[in-house]
Amino acid sequence: MIDVVIPAYHPGQEFQVLIQKLLKQTIDVSHIWIMQTIQQEGEPLVQFSDERITVLPVLQREFDHGGTRDLGARQSQSDYILFMTQDALPADDRLLEHLLAAMNNPQTGIAYARQLPRPSAGFVESLTRTYNYPEESCIKVLADEERLGIKTYFCSDVCAMYRRSYYEELGGFVQPTIFNEDMIMAYHMIHAGYQVAYCAEAQVVHSHEYRCMQQFRRNFDLGVSQKQYQEIFASISSEKEGAGYAKKIIRTLVHQKKFIEMFYFMLQCGFKLFGYKLGLHYNRLPRKLVMKCTGSRWYWHTKDQ
């Protein structure tokens, strides 16, 4: 009934924990498809004895956020496909149960989980998780665009369940994709008359402490994605959403007198905005500069093929 697709690169001990947690859910997994990125043919793949797990090699030069996930999805014959990343851990054994419950409504095409910060996460990263993944569940449809703006289409393949029939009906993930394959699919899903469910009861532990240049590169790639899919993003301001997020975080930091964290957060916001703005104009930049700015060098090599 439920297949899981997980892109993996140099999977380590935490990845083993993820697999074990998935196999111990209250709802059984039909199959787990691990799309392991390797640098050259013949490299050893991660091994599992469970017959429900298949590891498929993906050459690094052929990796693609949309295409690699779609390759895994095309292996599935189950009703639902759960996409996850290798660094997200189910918070309990009811992750699949909660996501599947959100699919009881036949209009639901995607249900994505709440992301909780790691115990080691900093204060700002914890605030960010709370901002993007609140305690209350919600359903998002086209009519919400006026109220929610770009957040209408917010969705994360860190942990998101898709109804396979709708996914295939809409042609699967766009490819090649430098970023945002999940939001692009959510956009098409909603505009096809379906709905996207944010399921706060379904929880995974997932957070990152990105440095300024990492934020810059991620947001450069975000800008590239939005430039390439102007039909989706041009009429809905991401900057307005970003500004609202920044104001709320800064207000909280000031209230709690965390001024050092506030100044560093503001510095990061500057890197993020600069990267995003550059990404929106990537097609006017020299190739060498693009390669210095991007966090996804593989994507540009793919475009050259």
Side-chain angles (χ1 to χ4, degrees):
M1 180 181 287
I2 302 173
D3 279 1
V4 183
V5 174
I6 312 173
Y9 182 61
H10 292 319
Q13 185 58 41
E14 186 178 55
F15 186 71
Q16 300 285 339
V17 175
L18 164 60
I19 298 301
Q20 290 305 311
K21 283 181 173 290
L22 286 174
L23 294 175
K24 295 179 180 179
Q25 293 286 303
T26 57
I27 301 292
D28 287 337
V29 169
S30 297
H31 206 89
I32 299 176
W33 302 93
I34 299 171
M35 316 303 293
Q36 183 174 342
T37 301
I38 57 175
Q39 293 184 336
Q40 57 187 3
E41 294 182 4
E43 283 188 22
L45 302 176
V46 62
Q47 298 292 318
F48 294 95
S49 59
D50 196 300
E51 62 182 13
R52 292 172 293 175
I53 302 174
T54 300
V55 183
L56 299 178
V58 178
L59 289 173
Q60 189 171 35
R61 64 177 179 270
E62 297 174 354
F63 174 83
D64 173 56
H65 279 294
T68 299
R69 287 177 169 85
D70 185 70
L71 178 62
R74 299 298 173 179
Q75 314 302 314
S76 175
Q77 297 298 317
S78 292
D79 298 323
Y80 305 101
I81 304 171
L82 175 66
F83 293 100
M84 293 192 69
T85 56
Q86 70 184 77
D87 57 349
L89 295 177
D92 55 34
D93 62 356
R94 301 182 65 192
L95 174 66
L96 271 63
E97 179 183 335
H98 289 307
L99 290 172
L100 193 59
M103 290 291 182
N104 285 337
N105 187 323
Q107 288 302 108
T108 301
I110 308 173
Y112 67 100
R114 183 184 183 190
Q115 295 182 30
L116 304 175
R118 297 174 183 271
S120 60
F123 186 75
V124 171
E125 178 63 12
S126 297
L127 284 179
T128 299
R129 294 293 136 182
T130 301
Y131 180 83
N132 287 326
Y133 303 95
E135 295 180 356
E136 302 81 19
S137 298
C138 69
I139 299 294
K140 296 184 288 188
V141 297
L142 186 57
D144 291 317
E145 188 179 287
E146 183 175 351
R147 176 175 61 91
L148 296 177
I150 193 69
K151 291 286 278 188
T152 307
Y153 308 113
F154 180 76
C155 174
S156 177
D157 280 345
V158 164
C159 183
M161 182 177 288
Y162 289 65
R163 193 182 301 269
R164 186 171 64 87
S165 59
Y166 296 174
Y167 174 87
E168 292 181 350
E169 174 189 328
L170 296 174
F173 291 128
V174 292
Q175 48 186 294
T177 322
I178 191 171
F179 209 68
N180 269 348
E181 85 289 336
D182 37 23
M183 285 188 67
I184 294 169
M185 176 56 77
Y187 174 91
H188 290 306
M189 195 75 71
I190 286 175
H191 278 258
Y194 304 122
Q195 62 189 28
V196 172
Y198 166 57
C199 185
E201 296 79 17
Q203 301 175 356
V204 292
V205 178
H206 177 263
S207 59
H208 291 285
E209 297 290 343
Y210 290 123
R211 297 184 182 276
C212 289
M213 280 307 299
Q214 290 175 305
Q215 296 282 19
F216 172 87
R217 292 189 174 97
R218 282 179 60 82
N219 281 270
F220 178 85
D221 291 347
L222 174 64
V224 171
S225 173
Q226 294 198 6
K227 175 67 174 180
Q228 292 176 336
Y229 293 93
Q230 295 183 74
E231 71 277 9
I232 296 176
F233 297 104
S235 62
I236 313 171
S237 175
S238 292
E239 293 178 56
K240 181 179 179 181
E241 170 62 27
Y245 153 75
K247 288 178 181 178
K248 287 186 178 180
I249 300 297
I250 291 172
R251 191 179 302 124
T252 301
L253 292 171
V254 169
H255 179 72
Q256 299 204 13
K257 298 182 179 180
K258 293 182 178 291
F259 299 114
I260 294 177
E261 288 90 339
M262 181 193 71
F263 285 120
Y264 184 65
F265 173 73
M266 292 173 67
L267 179 64
Q268 283 199 322
C269 287
F271 273 81
K272 291 167 72 173
L273 182 60
F274 185 41
Y276 174 71
K277 289 287 191 179
L278 272 181
L280 288 176
H281 300 283
Y282 80 94
N283 54 325
R284 301 179 184 178
L285 302 177
R287 174 61 180 262
K288 287 185 177 179
L289 180 56
V290 169
M291 296 303 285
K292 288 183 179 295
C293 293
T294 186
S296 307
R297 296 176 68 89
W298 54 266
Y299 172 79
W300 304 98
H301 293 312
T302 300
K303 285 192 70 176
D304 291 340
Q305 295 177 1

